[in-house]
Amino acid sequence: GAVVSQHPSWVICKSGTSVKIECRSLDFQATTMFWYRQFPKQSLMLMATSNEGSKATYEQGVEKDKFLINHASLTLSTLTVTSAHPEDSSFYICSAVNWGGSGEQYFGPGTRLTVT
Amino acid sequence: AQKITQTQPGMFVQEKEAVTLDCTYDTSDQSYGLFWYKQPSSGEMIFLIYQGSYDEQNATEGRYSLNFQKARKSANLVISASQLGDSAMYFCAMREDGGSNYKLTFGKGTLLTVNP
């Protein structure tokens, strides 16, 4: 099956700093990637749709200036949490759409962010 | 109204027995896809099974089968011969193909515990 990686798998940062999370499709080209956020014992909440070569589409209520998304290549999307606050602590998961298949989404292993 | 409803926050099953996890959905699209994912405590989202709205037969993948009842808008997951390793969170998700971005909408999940 298709493989999606995320880096880092976990990160601790101080309030006010920025942190970048990478999502890579390793064996297919992904023109579309998605970023999700998951709080403990809750479901995945879609934050934004990342399209290669164009601006990301953010879901209602998600601050685009706080969660910067860049999809500069067919295999890489990055999520930057700017001026992080403790309430940004969460599990962030990306997925990539394999259009060469049947449009299935393949998920990365997730990044656990803790803001102190 | 919720698009995906999972009414069982938690389920228990004895090892080697079968278990059914419920999922109902709401959509006005004619073309859509239904997915089940498993999320163990490590956090990765593992794809289990897919059912297309036009598929006439219920999907099966090894010990997983999807009981698709289109008129009732239900897509229950059946796990046969449960194993201890099946203990995890299970999410039902829907992709509405009327849009072009293939977003997934997730239910709240069911925590399955397999007892020895």
Side-chain angles (χ1 to χ4, degrees):
Chain A
V3 179
V4 175
S5 70
Q6 269 184 253
H7 178 81
S9 55
W10 61 270
V11 58
I12 301 172
C13 71
K14 296 194 175 206
S15 288
T17 62
S18 295
V19 61
K20 180 186 287 188
I21 302 170
E22 293 185 349
C23 178
R24 292 181 186 272
S25 57
L26 297 184
D27 53 359
F28 66 98
Q29 293 183 335
T31 54
T32 303
M33 292 183 173
F34 296 95
W35 286 96
Y36 297 86
R37 183 174 183 175
Q38 185 180 31
F39 291 107
K41 300 188 188 302
Q42 293 189 23
S43 187
L44 279 71
M45 183 192 77
L46 179 65
M47 298 175 67
T49 304
S50 172
N51 296 301
E52 187 267 338
S54 65
K55 290 183 179 180
T57 304
Y58 291 82
E59 296 298 301
Q60 194 171 10
V62 177
E63 299 175 61
K64 62 179 72 174
D65 295 329
K66 180 166 189 59
F67 298 100
L68 300 179
I69 291 171
N70 184 279
H71 194 153
S73 79
L74 288 172
T75 59
L76 173 64
S77 175
T78 60
L79 168 68
T80 301
V81 183
T82 63
S83 188
H85 288 281
E87 54 264 32
D88 298 326
S89 298
S90 188
F91 191 58
Y92 293 88
I93 308 176
C94 73
S95 70
V97 179
N98 184 4
W99 294 113
S102 57
E104 295 151 36
Q105 284 190 35
Y106 293 91
F107 285 82
T111 297
R112 193 163 302 280
L113 170 64
T114 301
V115 184
T116 61
Chain B
Q2 285 187 334
K3 289 196 172 184
I4 294 286
T5 302
Q6 293 181 254
T7 58
Q8 307 153 315
M11 287 283 286
F12 293 88
V13 66
Q14 285 298 121
E15 195 178 5
K16 300 180 185 177
E17 292 185 352
V19 62
T20 298
L21 306 184
D22 295 342
C23 173
T24 57
Y25 60 93
D26 183 28
T27 181
S28 56
D29 282 8
Q30 296 301 308
S31 176
Y32 52 89
L34 297 157
F35 301 78
W36 278 92
Y37 289 89
K38 171 184 178 181
Q39 188 180 42
S41 56
S42 60
E44 60 182 314
M45 294 289 285
I46 302 169
F47 166 73
L48 296 178
I49 197 166
Y50 165 78
Q51 180 88 38
S53 57
Y54 292 118
D55 295 340
E56 294 186 353
Q57 294 203 342
N58 287 342
T60 60
E61 288 287 347
R63 294 186 299 111
Y64 304 108
S65 61
L66 198 152
N67 184 0
F68 182 45
Q69 297 188 43
K70 195 170 182 177
R72 295 180 60 187
K73 293 190 174 179
S74 76
N76 298 339
L77 176 71
V78 180
I79 305 175
S80 63
S82 297
Q83 302 172 355
L84 295 178
D86 293 335
S87 294
M89 197 73 171
Y90 288 80
F91 291 100
C92 178
M94 176 173 64
R95 183 188 71 204
E96 294 173 287
D97 296 342
S100 60
N101 57 15
Y102 279 55
K103 290 195 290 188
L104 286 179
T105 303
F106 285 87
K108 292 188 175 182
T110 296
L111 180 61
L112 176 66
T113 303
V114 181
N115 294 319

